[in-house]
Amino acid sequence: PRIDAVLFGIFRNEAEQHLQIIDEYLRQERPELTGLAVTPELLRALHTLNGSARTAVVPEISEPYSALEHYARVRQGEDW
């Protein structure tokens, strides 16, 4: 499928905000990554990036973020 330029522009603008949330989460000081609690903000950012990338038809972005969202939900204890 062809990427719609308008949808991709909207996606790119939204993605910057969500990527900043993910970046801040990953930069938290902790002994190891597995000790970091999944936050509602992280889940929202992953979910929105995944959905927005799917809407803009960018599977190269939506597929990895779908997997990350799934992993975060499993870590949080959701049966997803």
Side-chain angles (χ1 to χ4, degrees):
R2 191 157 201 263
I3 297 173
D4 182 289
V6 174
L7 287 177
F8 185 75
I10 294 168
F11 166 74
R12 187 176 56 202
N13 290 336
E14 286 184 3
E16 288 178 17
Q17 298 167 354
H18 299 299
L19 288 170
Q20 182 177 4
I21 291 168
I22 294 167
D23 184 60
E24 289 170 4
Y25 174 83
L26 293 174
R27 289 180 184 270
Q28 293 179 41
E29 289 189 34
R30 72 267 186 217
E32 55 187 70
L33 188 57
T34 57
L36 200 56
V38 174
T39 64
E41 293 80 14
L42 176 67
L43 280 176
R44 188 171 27 260
L46 292 170
H47 179 77
T48 304
L49 274 172
N50 176 20
S52 295
R54 286 184 191 277
T55 299
V57 192
V58 188
E60 299 85 358
I61 296 174
S62 66
E63 290 173 5
Y65 277 96
S66 177
L68 287 170
E69 178 186 0
H70 175 76
Y71 176 74
R73 289 184 183 280
V74 168
R75 287 238 7 248
Q76 191 181 42
E78 292 186 22
D79 189 15
W80 204 59

XYZ file of all heavy atoms in Angstrom:
648
model
N 0.823 -1.204 0.000
C 0.000 0.000 0.000
C 0.865 1.265 0.000
O 1.946 1.286 0.568
C -0.811 -0.083 1.279
C -0.623 -1.463 1.814
C 0.568 -2.040 1.147
N 0.344 2.265 -0.627
C 1.053 3.544 -0.733
C 0.781 4.389 0.503
O -0.339 4.444 0.990
C 0.572 4.276 -1.982
C 1.408 5.455 -2.332
C 1.239 5.768 -3.804
N 2.373 6.542 -4.254
C 2.355 7.857 -4.344
N 1.276 8.527 -4.042
N 3.425 8.507 -4.757
N 1.810 5.071 0.990
C 1.674 5.938 2.159
C 1.032 7.256 1.733
O 1.503 7.907 0.810
C 3.042 6.190 2.817
C 3.623 4.879 3.338
C 2.925 7.209 3.934
C 5.041 4.995 3.845
N -0.047 7.627 2.406
C -0.726 8.900 2.153
C 0.094 10.018 2.795
O 0.350 10.006 3.999
C -2.133 8.840 2.751
C -2.915 10.098 2.499
O -2.578 11.136 3.121
O -3.859 10.050 1.700
N 0.496 10.996 1.990
C 1.378 12.067 2.470
C 0.723 12.898 3.577
O 1.389 13.280 4.546
C 1.790 12.968 1.312
N -0.560 13.172 3.469
C -1.257 13.971 4.481
C -1.325 13.205 5.797
O -1.004 13.736 6.862
C -2.663 14.380 3.995
C -3.432 15.072 5.107
C -2.564 15.270 2.764
N -1.758 11.945 5.724
C -1.825 11.128 6.944
C -0.452 10.945 7.564
O -0.303 10.976 8.786
C -2.439 9.754 6.638
C -3.934 9.730 6.378
C -4.382 8.314 6.022
C -4.706 10.244 7.573
N 0.562 10.772 6.732
C 1.901 10.600 7.272
C 2.379 11.870 7.974
O 3.022 11.805 9.018
C 2.901 10.194 6.189
C 4.260 9.903 6.751
C 4.491 8.718 7.431
C 5.292 10.818 6.632
C 5.737 8.447 7.983
C 6.537 10.548 7.178
C 6.763 9.360 7.846
N 2.041 13.031 7.432
C 2.405 14.294 8.076
C 1.774 14.433 9.448
O 2.422 14.851 10.411
N 0.502 14.075 9.540
C -0.195 14.111 10.836
C 0.452 13.117 11.787
O 0.714 13.429 12.947
C -1.693 13.809 10.648
C -2.350 14.942 9.846
C -2.383 13.607 11.995
C -3.751 14.615 9.356
N 0.714 11.909 11.286
C 1.354 10.885 12.109
C 2.697 11.372 12.647
O 2.990 11.231 13.821
C 1.555 9.596 11.297
C 2.499 8.640 11.951
C 2.114 7.919 13.064
C 3.796 8.495 11.476
C 2.990 7.051 13.689
C 4.682 7.631 12.092
C 4.276 6.909 13.196
N 3.513 11.961 11.779
C 4.842 12.411 12.189
C 4.760 13.451 13.301
O 5.515 13.394 14.272
C 5.604 12.969 10.992
C 7.045 13.290 11.329
C 7.824 13.757 10.144
N 7.143 14.910 9.561
C 7.292 15.304 8.313
N 8.061 14.632 7.500
N 6.666 16.350 7.863
N 3.823 14.388 13.192
C 3.667 15.404 14.235
C 3.252 14.790 15.563
O 3.771 15.150 16.616
C 2.660 16.469 13.805
C 3.190 17.347 12.698
O 4.391 17.496 12.529
N 2.294 17.921 11.929
N 2.305 13.859 15.522
C 1.857 13.182 16.747
C 2.956 12.289 17.319
O 3.132 12.206 18.532
C 0.629 12.317 16.466
C -0.641 13.074 16.275
C -1.827 12.136 16.104
O -1.657 10.905 16.200
O -2.925 12.650 15.879
N 3.680 11.628 16.451
C 4.695 10.665 16.881
C 5.781 11.319 17.719
O 6.274 10.712 18.678
C 5.311 9.965 15.676
N 6.146 12.537 17.388
C 7.195 13.222 18.142
C 6.859 13.301 19.626
O 7.717 13.064 20.478
C 7.432 14.618 17.573
C 8.124 14.598 16.224
C 8.320 15.981 15.643
O 8.216 16.985 16.385
O 8.581 16.061 14.430
N 5.617 13.620 19.948
C 5.194 13.720 21.349
C 5.263 12.358 22.033
O 5.751 12.245 23.160
C 3.766 14.262 21.435
C 3.608 15.649 20.885
C 2.146 16.017 20.711
O 1.260 15.190 20.905
N 1.898 17.266 20.348
N 4.783 11.339 21.364
C 4.749 10.003 21.968
C 6.152 9.412 22.089
O 6.461 8.735 23.073
C 3.823 9.090 21.182
C 2.422 9.595 21.158
N 1.669 9.765 22.299
C 1.641 10.008 20.136
C 0.488 10.250 21.978
N 0.451 10.401 20.677
N 6.999 9.672 21.119
C 8.372 9.189 21.202
C 9.128 9.857 22.346
O 9.980 9.235 22.983
C 9.100 9.417 19.874
C 8.651 8.501 18.742
C 9.252 8.965 17.414
C 9.013 7.059 19.017
N 8.795 11.100 22.640
C 9.423 11.790 23.771
C 9.038 11.106 25.088
O 9.875 10.910 25.958
C 9.016 13.255 23.807
C 9.679 14.020 24.927
C 9.319 15.500 24.912
O 8.525 15.955 24.109
N 9.904 16.236 25.820
N 7.778 10.703 25.222
C 7.327 9.995 26.423
C 8.073 8.667 26.566
O 8.549 8.312 27.648
C 5.799 9.761 26.378
C 5.071 11.100 26.515
C 5.352 8.772 27.455
C 3.595 11.040 26.208
N 8.208 7.930 25.463
C 8.913 6.652 25.492
C 10.384 6.865 25.837
O 10.962 6.139 26.650
C 8.746 5.915 24.148
C 7.278 5.537 23.951
C 9.645 4.679 24.078
C 6.934 5.087 22.549
N 10.994 7.883 25.249
C 12.392 8.200 25.530
C 12.602 8.527 27.002
O 13.540 8.029 27.630
C 12.849 9.365 24.649
C 14.321 9.667 24.832
O 15.148 8.770 24.570
O 14.646 10.805 25.231
N 11.722 9.339 27.576
C 11.835 9.696 28.996
C 11.699 8.460 29.876
O 12.403 8.310 30.872
C 10.782 10.736 29.365
C 11.056 12.104 28.774
C 9.897 13.080 28.936
O 8.885 12.722 29.585
O 9.997 14.189 28.406
N 10.798 7.568 29.512
C 10.608 6.326 30.261
C 11.888 5.492 30.249
O 12.342 4.991 31.278
C 9.449 5.533 29.650
C 9.256 4.166 30.242
C 8.542 3.997 31.413
C 9.781 3.039 29.621
C 8.365 2.733 31.963
C 9.609 1.779 30.160
C 8.893 1.631 31.329
O 8.722 0.382 31.866
N 12.489 5.355 29.068
C 13.680 4.511 28.939
C 14.916 5.130 29.577
O 15.855 4.419 29.925
C 13.949 4.218 27.459
C 12.902 3.342 26.785
C 13.184 3.246 25.296
C 12.854 1.960 27.416
N 14.925 6.436 29.759
C 16.086 7.107 30.343
C 16.050 7.145 31.877
O 16.982 7.638 32.494
C 16.204 8.530 29.804
C 16.630 8.578 28.359
C 16.734 10.008 27.875
N 17.042 10.039 26.478
C 18.270 10.065 25.960
N 19.315 10.054 26.763
N 18.462 10.098 24.668
N 14.999 6.640 32.476
C 14.920 6.623 33.932
C 16.064 5.789 34.490
O 16.420 4.756 33.944
C 13.595 6.011 34.392
C 12.395 6.844 34.054
C 11.131 6.161 34.531
O 11.090 5.604 35.609
N 10.106 6.206 33.711
N 16.606 6.269 35.592
C 17.681 5.512 36.230
C 17.086 4.290 36.915
O 16.117 4.382 37.658
C 18.396 6.378 37.256
C 19.236 7.460 36.619
C 20.099 8.174 37.625
O 20.569 7.536 38.582
O 20.287 9.381 37.432
N 17.686 3.142 36.652
C 17.264 1.900 37.275
C 18.388 0.898 37.158
O 19.200 0.976 36.242
C 15.985 1.357 36.672
C 16.145 0.780 35.282
C 15.864 1.796 34.260
N 15.870 1.276 32.915
C 16.333 1.964 31.917
N 16.850 3.141 32.103
N 16.285 1.491 30.696
N 18.426 -0.066 38.061
C 19.509 -1.058 38.007
C 19.462 -1.883 36.727
O 20.469 -2.210 36.155
C 19.284 -1.929 39.227
C 18.126 -1.379 39.952
C 17.560 -0.236 39.177
N 18.277 -2.223 36.276
C 18.116 -2.973 35.033
C 16.725 -2.686 34.474
O 15.807 -2.339 35.202
C 18.310 -4.467 35.250
C 17.413 -5.054 36.325
C 17.754 -6.475 36.613
O 18.809 -6.739 37.184
O 16.933 -7.332 36.247
N 16.576 -2.826 33.179
C 15.316 -2.479 32.513
C 14.135 -3.277 33.045
O 13.031 -2.768 33.143
C 15.462 -2.687 31.000
C 14.320 -2.189 30.126
C 14.080 -0.704 30.344
C 14.615 -2.461 28.666
N 14.344 -4.524 33.428
C 13.235 -5.358 33.885
C 12.635 -4.861 35.194
O 11.527 -5.222 35.533
C 13.674 -6.828 34.061
O 14.761 -6.867 34.974
C 14.058 -7.433 32.735
N 13.361 -4.005 35.933
C 12.844 -3.485 37.190
C 11.984 -2.251 37.034
O 11.486 -1.709 38.011
N 11.771 -1.802 35.818
C 11.027 -0.575 35.559
C 9.545 -0.890 35.366
O 9.180 -1.725 34.539
C 11.601 0.082 34.302
C 11.344 1.536 34.074
C 11.817 2.378 35.261
C 12.069 1.995 32.825
N 8.690 -0.248 36.146
C 7.251 -0.489 36.051
C 6.686 0.139 34.779
O 7.099 1.219 34.368
C 6.544 0.090 37.270
N 5.741 -0.549 34.164
C 5.059 -0.022 32.986
C 4.047 1.021 33.469
O 3.234 0.741 34.346
C 4.343 -1.155 32.217
C 3.506 -0.605 31.083
C 5.363 -2.160 31.699
N 4.107 2.208 32.896
C 3.217 3.298 33.297
C 2.064 3.448 32.316
O 2.182 3.047 31.148
C 3.985 4.633 33.350
O 4.441 4.952 32.025
C 5.166 4.556 34.307
N 0.958 4.031 32.763
C -0.153 4.298 31.839
C 0.287 5.211 30.684
O -0.173 5.037 29.554
C -1.205 4.988 32.704
C -0.887 4.572 34.103
C 0.608 4.375 34.145
N 1.195 6.148 30.965
C 1.668 7.054 29.912
C 2.431 6.290 28.832
O 2.278 6.565 27.634
C 2.573 8.147 30.511
C 1.864 9.111 31.425
C 1.645 8.577 32.846
O 2.256 7.561 33.230
O 0.842 9.178 33.565
N 3.248 5.317 29.257
C 3.980 4.507 28.292
C 3.019 3.697 27.434
O 3.137 3.672 26.213
C 4.968 3.570 29.002
C 5.706 2.611 28.068
C 6.642 3.365 27.139
C 6.449 1.559 28.856
N 2.059 3.038 28.072
C 1.084 2.247 27.311
C 0.306 3.104 26.322
O 0.100 2.706 25.177
C 0.106 1.551 28.261
C 0.607 0.277 28.906
C -0.423 -0.258 29.885
C 0.922 -0.768 27.860
N -0.107 4.286 26.755
C -0.854 5.189 25.876
C 0.007 5.606 24.680
O -0.460 5.614 23.542
C -1.340 6.402 26.662
C -2.276 7.298 25.913
C -2.937 8.395 26.754
N -2.201 8.853 27.920
C -2.434 8.473 29.183
N -3.388 7.621 29.459
N -1.727 8.954 30.182
N 1.278 5.924 24.929
C 2.166 6.330 23.848
C 2.380 5.188 22.849
O 2.301 5.389 21.633
C 3.503 6.805 24.411
N 2.631 3.980 23.348
C 2.825 2.833 22.468
C 1.566 2.526 21.669
O 1.622 2.278 20.459
C 3.240 1.601 23.283
C 4.624 1.650 23.929
C 4.795 0.484 24.891
C 5.714 1.658 22.874
N 0.427 2.548 22.341
C -0.844 2.251 21.686
C -1.162 3.284 20.603
O -1.574 2.926 19.494
C -1.963 2.216 22.737
C -3.305 1.947 22.156
N -3.705 0.694 21.762
C -4.343 2.779 21.879
C -4.936 0.760 21.278
N -5.338 2.013 21.331
N -0.948 4.549 20.914
C -1.260 5.606 19.960
C -0.314 5.567 18.763
O -0.749 5.736 17.619
C -1.226 6.984 20.643
O -2.133 6.965 21.743
C -1.630 8.089 19.693
N 0.973 5.352 19.013
C 1.917 5.230 17.892
C 1.544 4.064 16.986
O 1.559 4.189 15.761
C 3.335 5.039 18.416
C 4.096 6.302 18.742
C 5.401 5.967 19.441
C 4.365 7.107 17.497
N 1.212 2.947 17.581
C 0.810 1.772 16.826
C -0.420 2.083 15.971
O -0.423 1.867 14.766
C 0.533 0.617 17.797
C 0.020 -0.627 17.118
O 0.188 -0.820 15.926
N -0.605 -1.481 17.898
N -1.460 2.630 16.596
C -2.696 2.922 15.868
C -2.522 3.991 14.808
O -3.050 3.868 13.691
N -1.774 5.028 15.124
C -1.550 6.104 14.157
C -0.745 5.606 12.961
O -1.021 5.976 11.819
C -0.819 7.270 14.817
O -1.612 7.848 15.813
N 0.244 4.763 13.218
C 1.042 4.216 12.118
C 0.190 3.312 11.235
O 0.333 3.311 10.011
C 2.246 3.457 12.658
N -0.718 2.566 11.834
C -1.621 1.724 11.038
C -2.548 2.588 10.185
O -2.785 2.273 9.027
C -2.446 0.809 11.939
C -1.655 -0.334 12.501
C -2.551 -1.268 13.325
N -1.748 -2.208 14.069
C -1.263 -3.338 13.574
N -1.491 -3.656 12.331
N -0.539 -4.133 14.327
N -3.065 3.661 10.773
C -3.950 4.564 10.037
C -3.209 5.203 8.858
O -3.766 5.351 7.772
C -4.498 5.667 10.965
O -5.247 5.042 12.007
C -5.389 6.635 10.218
N -1.950 5.589 9.079
C -1.151 6.217 8.030
C -0.549 5.174 7.072
O 0.160 5.533 6.141
C -0.034 7.045 8.654
N -0.841 3.899 7.300
C -0.360 2.779 6.497
C 1.178 2.764 6.448
O 1.795 2.828 5.388
C -0.963 2.784 5.070
C -0.668 1.470 4.373
C -2.453 3.033 5.097
N 1.767 2.688 7.641
C 3.224 2.603 7.764
C 3.550 1.353 8.594
O 3.850 1.436 9.784
C 3.815 3.876 8.427
C 5.337 3.844 8.367
C 3.278 5.142 7.794
N 3.462 0.171 7.970
C 3.676 -1.065 8.718
C 5.089 -1.191 9.287
O 5.285 -1.873 10.290
C 3.398 -2.169 7.696
C 3.544 -1.516 6.361
C 3.179 -0.072 6.561
N 6.055 -0.509 8.682
C 7.420 -0.562 9.202
C 7.499 0.036 10.604
O 8.422 -0.258 11.356
C 8.392 0.197 8.280
C 8.476 -0.357 6.883
C 7.391 0.183 5.938
O 6.533 0.969 6.362
O 7.417 -0.210 4.770
N 6.535 0.873 10.951
C 6.480 1.463 12.284
C 5.425 0.763 13.136
O 5.658 0.462 14.301
C 6.211 2.984 12.199
C 7.391 3.659 11.495
C 5.982 3.575 13.592
C 7.196 5.119 11.208
N 4.265 0.482 12.560
C 3.172 -0.087 13.356
C 3.495 -1.491 13.873
O 3.152 -1.815 15.013
C 1.867 -0.109 12.561
O 1.955 -0.999 11.460
N 4.166 -2.310 13.082
C 4.432 -3.685 13.515
C 5.346 -3.755 14.735
O 5.021 -4.451 15.701
C 4.960 -4.507 12.344
C 3.881 -4.756 11.299
C 4.384 -5.416 10.031
O 5.578 -5.787 9.974
O 3.585 -5.555 9.095
N 6.481 -3.036 14.747
C 7.305 -3.110 15.967
C 6.614 -2.499 17.183
O 6.759 -3.005 18.297
C 8.573 -2.326 15.613
C 8.503 -2.004 14.175
C 7.145 -2.321 13.687
N 5.846 -1.405 16.973
C 5.173 -0.794 18.117
C 4.021 -1.650 18.603
O 3.694 -1.634 19.788
C 4.746 0.640 17.805
C 5.897 1.579 18.020
C 6.698 1.963 16.972
C 6.222 2.020 19.295
C 7.796 2.780 17.181
C 7.310 2.839 19.512
C 8.094 3.215 18.448
O 9.188 4.011 18.666
N 3.423 -2.439 17.736
C 2.402 -3.388 18.161
C 3.027 -4.432 19.086
O 2.467 -4.763 20.136
C 1.779 -4.070 16.944
O 0.839 -5.038 17.344
N 4.202 -4.928 18.702
C 4.900 -5.910 19.536
C 5.321 -5.300 20.874
O 5.181 -5.931 21.921
C 6.120 -6.454 18.797
N 5.816 -4.060 20.859
C 6.205 -3.390 22.102
C 5.001 -3.154 23.007
O 5.083 -3.328 24.227
C 6.903 -2.063 21.800
C 8.317 -2.173 21.254
C 8.798 -0.812 20.767
C 9.250 -2.728 22.311
N 3.881 -2.754 22.404
C 2.669 -2.544 23.201
C 2.237 -3.860 23.846
O 1.905 -3.899 25.033
C 1.544 -1.988 22.336
C 0.264 -1.789 23.105
C -0.913 -1.376 22.238
O -0.762 -1.225 21.011
O -2.009 -1.221 22.816
N 2.263 -4.931 23.076
C 1.885 -6.241 23.608
C 2.799 -6.630 24.778
O 2.333 -7.057 25.833
C 1.945 -7.289 22.508
C 1.680 -8.680 22.995
N 0.411 -9.122 23.295
C 2.518 -9.707 23.264
C 0.482 -10.366 23.728
N 1.746 -10.746 23.715
N 4.107 -6.459 24.590
C 5.071 -6.785 25.641
C 4.805 -5.958 26.903
O 4.819 -6.489 28.013
C 6.497 -6.549 25.130
C 7.550 -6.772 26.177
C 7.886 -8.050 26.586
C 8.200 -5.693 26.773
C 8.856 -8.262 27.567
C 9.168 -5.893 27.745
C 9.485 -7.170 28.137
O 10.433 -7.376 29.105
N 4.550 -4.661 26.734
C 4.291 -3.788 27.882
C 3.028 -4.224 28.617
O 2.985 -4.231 29.851
C 4.181 -2.337 27.432
N 1.998 -4.606 27.867
C 0.755 -5.046 28.501
C 0.958 -6.358 29.267
O 0.421 -6.539 30.350
C -0.359 -5.172 27.489
C -0.832 -3.814 26.977
C -2.020 -3.948 26.031
N -2.396 -2.662 25.509
C -3.124 -1.749 26.136
N -3.565 -2.004 27.356
N -3.433 -0.602 25.575
N 1.724 -7.266 28.695
C 2.022 -8.532 29.378
C 2.816 -8.250 30.649
O 2.538 -8.806 31.717
C 2.781 -9.507 28.437
C 3.341 -10.686 29.206
C 1.856 -9.972 27.317
N 3.809 -7.365 30.568
C 4.606 -7.005 31.754
C 3.743 -6.368 32.833
O 4.009 -6.506 34.018
C 5.724 -6.012 31.383
C 6.844 -6.608 30.634
C 8.226 -6.500 31.206
N 8.416 -5.967 32.506
C 9.010 -4.811 32.790
N 9.444 -4.026 31.837
N 9.183 -4.425 34.024
N 2.705 -5.647 32.406
C 1.824 -4.987 33.362
C 0.854 -6.000 33.981
O 0.198 -5.706 34.963
C 1.058 -3.858 32.676
C 0.324 -2.955 33.645
C -0.442 -1.884 32.934
O -1.073 -2.145 31.923
N -0.390 -0.674 33.450
N 0.757 -7.168 33.385
C -0.108 -8.203 33.935
C -1.436 -8.326 33.230
O -2.305 -9.072 33.661
N -1.604 -7.618 32.109
C -2.846 -7.750 31.342
C -2.795 -9.031 30.537
O -1.762 -9.376 29.964
C -3.022 -6.549 30.393
C -3.282 -5.246 31.106
C -3.584 -4.118 30.131
O -3.998 -4.390 28.988
O -3.417 -2.972 30.540
N -3.888 -9.729 30.469
C -3.992 -10.933 29.682
C -4.476 -10.523 28.290
O -5.656 -10.489 28.007
C -4.985 -11.905 30.332
C -4.963 -13.267 29.670
O -4.016 -13.550 28.930
O -5.905 -14.029 29.903
N -3.519 -10.188 27.421
C -3.832 -9.576 26.137
C -3.464 -10.417 24.991
O -2.530 -10.979 24.745
C -3.090 -8.238 26.090
C -3.689 -7.253 25.181
C -4.942 -6.756 25.226
C -3.038 -6.588 24.118
N -5.111 -5.825 24.251
C -3.960 -5.696 23.563
C -1.777 -6.645 23.576
C -3.661 -4.896 22.483
C -1.480 -5.833 22.525
C -2.413 -4.962 21.984
